[in-house]
Amino acid sequence: MTDITSVSQLKDVQPTDWYFKHLQSLIEKFGISVCCPDGMFNANEPLSRAEAVSLLNQGLERVVEVIASSTSEAK
């Protein structure tokens, strides 16, 4: 599995793709890991339930981190 930290690492994603900015935000701003062993995003491939759970969990963990951080800064 390739550790993707920038949308530019994905061989099949172009800035002209309608989802580019959304994917860029997930990867670069929120640190959501995109699993693609071959360096491809494969936008038109189906997503398994296991992959969906993994992505959802990563997103929710990031939300919890942001809330905890903002709460501790407010004190």
Side-chain angles (χ1 to χ4, degrees):
M1 180 183 331
T2 304
D3 187 24
I4 301 296
T5 57
S6 171
V7 73
S8 64
Q9 292 174 268
L10 298 170
K11 300 173 188 174
D12 61 340
V13 176
Q14 301 301 317
T16 54
D17 293 330
W18 70 266
Y19 53 85
F20 180 87
K21 294 241 183 242
H22 303 292
L23 188 59
Q24 183 178 39
S25 180
L26 284 174
I27 295 171
E28 298 174 15
K29 183 176 180 183
F30 296 108
I32 305 298
S33 176
V34 177
C35 298
C36 36
D38 59 356
M40 305 289 273
F41 179 60
N42 298 321
N44 295 317
E45 293 297 316
L47 188 66
S48 72
R49 284 189 262 176
E51 292 167 323
V53 166
S54 175
L55 291 170
L56 180 59
N57 186 60
Q58 288 179 66
L60 291 174
E61 284 179 350
R62 184 67 182 124
V63 167
V64 168
E65 289 172 10
V66 168
I67 291 171
S69 174
S70 65
T71 303
S72 65
E73 290 175 5
K75 292 180 181 180

